[in-house]
């Protein structure tokens, strides 16, 4: 008999408790045009990984163009991760000040500018653009789930599936078309900058929603203290709840999130290069990487559903870690001959690990406020930890002249991830005693 089913509510980044009548009326008007709202959500989600995934198949050309070493080239994927972690801190504050729609629209405009900046002639523009791209994606990461919870409270699960599928689809298409676009447009710069068009279209779709939202917020403020944007229910004090920094369980969840992200972004940064260094054609390497990204949808859909029906998620943590370890080991012993199999194992494991990490943020929390705080801690710390991966493995590759030692290091991270899954997968909640 299965254990009790745990619900996994999303956390509203704005932490609104009750909506003032004017703001609620504006949201009803937005929901009255679901095609526009759905288009905005899907377009924003498509942009949340595309600008990163399209870099990996072209990393060799980018490094050769700027005469970068392997370690320096890895900064192209490391810098966005650093700013994805740092930007996660600012997202809720910006949403409180300007509103979720306005910040989402601004993030998409910022993303468009960052993508264009990456192809400017000086190498410093490449790295500055990477920082802008990472910051804009951080804002989208934090605010999109809250917007879905707020505007689709009765269909949050279906909308989350749509949003997460679109996010993976964007990454898959970006990785698969990076090399063909380079050939069609004549250079890697054309391939990278083409994704700014998608970000621009998404921003345009969000403009009318931003205008309506701003009108609603202005009307709510004009209504006086009785119609404040937080309504009549006071928000929970920011400093209340368990002390996360003193909770071993909170750190296990955070490190699980960070370790699985580290493995994922090392794969994004170096998998095509590993395959081409072993003799695979660049175009095929891009397709293998795109396939690995595509099959993540299977893991990210199935694992959270299983996790929500289990009291303990230890077995799931070990399983997804083992799948990734098998994929890494395959790249170590037969990188080209079994490339498609290793890509499938890595993809399913990575998708499952990400879904499990996000689910455990809720399952290990006693209330929505603690879940919101744990989500912020895990995403900030997780992405900052993940940023170490591409840079460190690039340095080890450069020092050793091959991929054997870096892949052995990655196997060690997989083993650590399994141990963290055992700890974070216990049937406990943060703040429990005994």
């Amino acid at each position: 008999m299965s254990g009790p089913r745990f619900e996994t509510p999303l956390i509203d980044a704005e932490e609104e408790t009750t909506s003032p009548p004017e703001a609620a009326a504006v949201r009803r008007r937005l929901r009255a045009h679901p095609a526009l709202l759905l288009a905005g959500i899907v377009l924003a989600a498509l942009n949340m990984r595309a600008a990163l995934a399209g870099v990996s198949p072209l990393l060799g050309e980018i490094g050769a163009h700027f005469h970068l070493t392997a370690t320096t080239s890895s900064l192209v994927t490391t810098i966005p991760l650093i700013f994805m972690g740092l930007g996660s801190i600012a997202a809720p504050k910006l949403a409180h000040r300007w509103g979720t729609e306005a910040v989402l629209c601004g993030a998409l405009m910022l993303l468009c500018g960052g993508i264009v900046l990456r192809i400017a002639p000086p190498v410093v523009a490449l790295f500055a653009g990477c920082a802008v791209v990472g910051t804009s994606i951080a804002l989208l990461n934090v605010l999109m789930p809250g917007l879905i919870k707020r505007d689709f409270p009765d269909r949050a699960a279906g909308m989350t599936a749509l949003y997460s599928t679109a996010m993976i689809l964007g990454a898959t298409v970006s990785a698969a078309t990076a090399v063909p676009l380079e050939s069609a447009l004549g250079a890697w710069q054309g391939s990278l900058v083409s994704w700014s068009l998608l970000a621009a279209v998404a921003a345009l779709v969000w403009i009318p929603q931003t205008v309506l939202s701003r009108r609603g917020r202005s009307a709510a403020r004009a209504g006086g203290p009785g119609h404040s944007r937080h309504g009549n229910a006071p928000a929970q004090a920011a400093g209340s709840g368990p002390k996360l920094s003193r909770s071993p369980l909170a750190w296990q969840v955070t490190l699980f999130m960070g370790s699985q992200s580290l493995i994922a972004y090392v794969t994004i940064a170096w998998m095509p290069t590993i395959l081409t260094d072993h003799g695979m054609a660049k175009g095929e390497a891009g397709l293998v990487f795109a396939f690995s990204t595509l099959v993540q949808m299977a893991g990210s859909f199935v694992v959270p559903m299983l996790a929500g029906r289990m009291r303990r998620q230890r077995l799931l943590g070990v399983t997804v870690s083992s799948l990734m370890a098998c994929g890494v080991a395959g790249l170590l012993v037969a990188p080209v001959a079994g490339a498609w199999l290793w890509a499938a194992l890595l993809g399913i494991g990575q998708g499952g690990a990400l879904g499990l990490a996000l689910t455990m943020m809720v399952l290990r929390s006693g209330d929505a406020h603690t879940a919101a705080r744990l989500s912020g801690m895990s995403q900030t710390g997780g992405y900052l930890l993940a940023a170490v991966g591409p840079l460190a493995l690039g340095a080890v590759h450069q020092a050793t002249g091959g991929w054997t030692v870096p892949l052995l290091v990655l196997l060690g991270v997989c083993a650590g991830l399994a141990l963290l899954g055992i700890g974070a997968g216990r049937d406990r909640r943060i703040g429990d005693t005994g």
Side-chain angles (χ1 to χ4, degrees), residues 19-31 216:
S19 299
E22 295 85 351
V26 169
R27 287 170 188 160
R28 285 195 296 270
R29 289 168 62 190
L30 286 173
R31 288 194 293 269

Side-chain angles (χ1 to χ4, degrees), residues 240-324:
S240 63
K243 190 75 171 178
L244 297 186
S245 62
R246 297 179 181 176
S247 168
L249 183 56
W251 280 109
Q252 287 168 342
V253 174
T254 297
L255 292 173
F256 186 89
M257 175 69 180
S259 297
Q260 67 84 22
S261 296
L262 185 151
I263 297 168
Y265 283 99
V266 165
T267 304
I268 289 174
W270 293 116
M271 184 177 182
T273 303
I274 292 171
L275 295 175
T276 55
D277 283 356
H278 285 89
M280 182 177 286
K282 184 173 64 175
E284 184 180 359
L287 289 176
V288 171
F289 172 62
F291 171 71
S292 180
T293 305
L294 178 64
V295 298
Q296 288 183 26
M297 288 189 285
S300 65
F301 179 77
V302 173
V303 170
M305 291 182 62
L306 294 175
R309 289 165 170 79
M310 301 168 68
R311 294 185 62 86
R312 301 174 182 84
Q313 294 76 37
R314 289 177 160 183
L315 179 60
L316 289 176
V318 173
T319 299
V320 296
S321 303
S322 299
L323 286 172
M324 287 189 284

Side-chain angles (χ1 to χ4, degrees), residues 56-434:
S56 183
L58 305 174
L59 199 58
E61 284 77 5
I62 296 172
H65 178 84
F66 289 108
H67 306 290
L68 304 177
T69 64
T71 303
T72 309
S73 294
S74 65
L75 290 174
V76 177
T77 51
T78 299
I79 290 175
L81 293 177
I82 294 173
F83 282 86
M84 283 168 69
L86 298 177
S88 298
I89 303 172
K93 296 179 181 178
L94 291 173
H96 273 290
R97 176 66 181 86
W98 301 104
T100 298
E101 289 85 357
V103 178
L104 280 172
C105 185
L108 289 164
M109 293 179 179
L110 192 67
L111 178 61
C112 181
I115 292 172
V116 174
L117 183 59
R118 287 189 305 188
I119 69 164
V123 68
V124 67
L126 171 67
F127 297 131
C130 290
V132 174
V133 166
T135 301
S136 57
I137 292 175
L139 299 177
L140 296 172
N141 276 343
V142 174
L143 298 182
M144 279 289 289
L147 179 134
I148 289 173
K149 178 209 171 187
R150 188 196 68 190
D151 288 349
F152 299 93
D154 299 325
R155 292 178 286 167
M159 291 302 300
T160 301
L162 175 66
Y163 138 75
S164 59
T165 301
M167 182 171 64
I168 295 175
L169 179 62
T172 302
V173 174
S174 176
T177 60
V179 175
L181 281 173
E182 179 191 23
S183 301
L185 299 174
W188 63 267
Q189 291 93 335
S191 180
L192 284 190
V193 81
S194 62
W195 292 100
S196 64
L197 297 176
L198 181 62
V201 171
L204 287 173
V205 170
W206 277 100
I207 288 176
Q209 301 178 66
T210 299
V211 172
L212 287 173
S213 175
R214 296 292 292 176
R215 288 177 181 172
R217 288 167 61 86
S218 298
R221 286 194 293 266
H227 292 85
S228 66
R229 70 182 297 275
H230 288 285
N232 298 322
Q236 189 168 354
S240 63
K243 190 75 171 178
L244 297 186
S245 62
R246 297 179 181 176
S247 168
L249 183 56
W251 280 109
Q252 287 168 342
V253 174
T254 297
L255 292 173
F256 186 89
M257 175 69 180
S259 297
Q260 67 84 22
S261 296
L262 185 151
I263 297 168
Y265 283 99
V266 165
T267 304
I268 289 174
W270 293 116
M271 184 177 182
T273 303
I274 292 171
L275 295 175
T276 55
D277 283 356
H278 285 89
M280 182 177 286
K282 184 173 64 175
E284 184 180 359
L287 289 176
V288 171
F289 172 62
F291 171 71
S292 180
T293 305
L294 178 64
V295 298
Q296 288 183 26
M297 288 189 285
S300 65
F301 179 77
V302 173
V303 170
M305 291 182 62
L306 294 175
R309 289 165 170 79
M310 301 168 68
R311 294 185 62 86
R312 301 174 182 84
Q313 294 76 37
R314 289 177 160 183
L315 179 60
L316 289 176
V318 173
T319 299
V320 296
S321 303
S322 299
L323 286 172
M324 287 189 284
C326 290
V328 173
L331 290 176
L332 187 62
V333 299
V336 175
W340 292 93
L341 175 59
W342 316 140
L345 294 173
L346 279 167
I348 295 171
Q350 287 168 4
L354 175 60
L356 182 59
L358 296 174
T359 304
M360 287 196 298
M361 292 176 195
V362 177
L363 298 182
R364 301 287 85 88
S365 302
D367 53 68
H369 180 66
T370 301
R373 294 168 56 225
L374 180 59
S375 176
M377 174 180 174
S378 298
Q379 292 206 49
T380 300
Y383 283 123
L384 291 176
L385 175 61
V388 176
L391 182 64
L393 264 71
V396 173
H397 167 63
Q398 183 177 337
T400 61
W403 289 107
T404 300
V405 177
L407 289 173
L408 288 173
V409 171
L410 204 57
L411 278 175
V413 177
C414 291
L417 183 67
L419 294 176
L420 289 166
I422 292 172
R426 292 174 294 163
D427 183 22
R428 292 179 60 86
R429 294 189 177 187
I430 294 170
D432 287 351
T433 58

